[in-house]
Amino acid sequence: VQLQASGGGLVQAGASLRLSCAASAVSGRTFSMYVMGWFRQAQGKEREFVATISWSGTSTTYADSVNGRFTISRDNAKNTMYLQMNTLKPDDTAIYYCAASPNYGSRSTSGYPYWGQGTLVTVSS
């Protein structure tokens, strides 16, 4: 699967932003066959888990740092995943990456074989 993240930008603390991840399936595998996830990487730090959503969207898991502020969702008919980010903080500043996996439950980058190019989110104080 090929992934393209978009929607990043510069916002003030407390604002909201919605990221999108458009998927193009290859080798006969459809978007709904993949678990999807969001990760982020701040400058000088390792890439970290943000959220993941199951194949049909019925199950989601969040990092503690974003739980209650961010919402992951997907529209399998549109081959697209979303990350609604509310009450943004300066600590949320990072490049956000979408990723795909055949298996649900991993919070590790190694659990996701497929990655998009990333979109930059900058939150000013």
Side-chain angles (χ1 to χ4, degrees):
V1 63
Q2 297 176 339
L3 305 173
Q4 178 83 27
S6 62
L10 172 63
V11 297
Q12 292 187 330
S16 298
L17 204 59
R18 189 176 81 157
L19 305 183
S20 298
C21 176
S24 300
V26 297
S27 302
R29 294 183 63 85
T30 62
F31 178 64
S32 62
M33 293 179 176
Y34 296 94
V35 168
M36 300 298 295
W38 287 101
F39 287 75
R40 66 186 182 185
Q41 188 167 17
Q43 190 171 9
K45 295 186 177 181
E46 293 187 355
R47 195 169 299 187
E48 65 176 6
F49 169 78
V50 175
T52 187
I53 187 166
S54 62
W55 303 268
S56 62
T58 54
S59 296
T60 57
T61 304
Y62 296 92
D64 290 344
S65 59
V66 307
N67 196 23
R69 298 188 298 122
F70 291 10
T71 302
I72 188 172
S73 62
R74 66 190 295 165
D75 186 338
N76 287 345
K78 295 182 178 180
N79 292 346
T80 304
M81 173 183 63
Y82 305 97
L83 186 68
Q84 178 66 42
M85 304 185 294
N86 298 330
T87 319
L88 282 161
K89 305 175 182 179
D91 284 349
D92 295 318
T93 296
I95 298 174
Y96 283 72
Y97 297 89
C98 57
S101 172
N103 303 307
Y104 183 73
S106 177
R107 296 181 179 227
S108 171
T109 56
S110 62
Y112 293 78
Y114 310 101
W115 292 84
Q117 87 293 354
T119 185
L120 177 62
V121 173
T122 304
V123 184
S124 63
S125 57

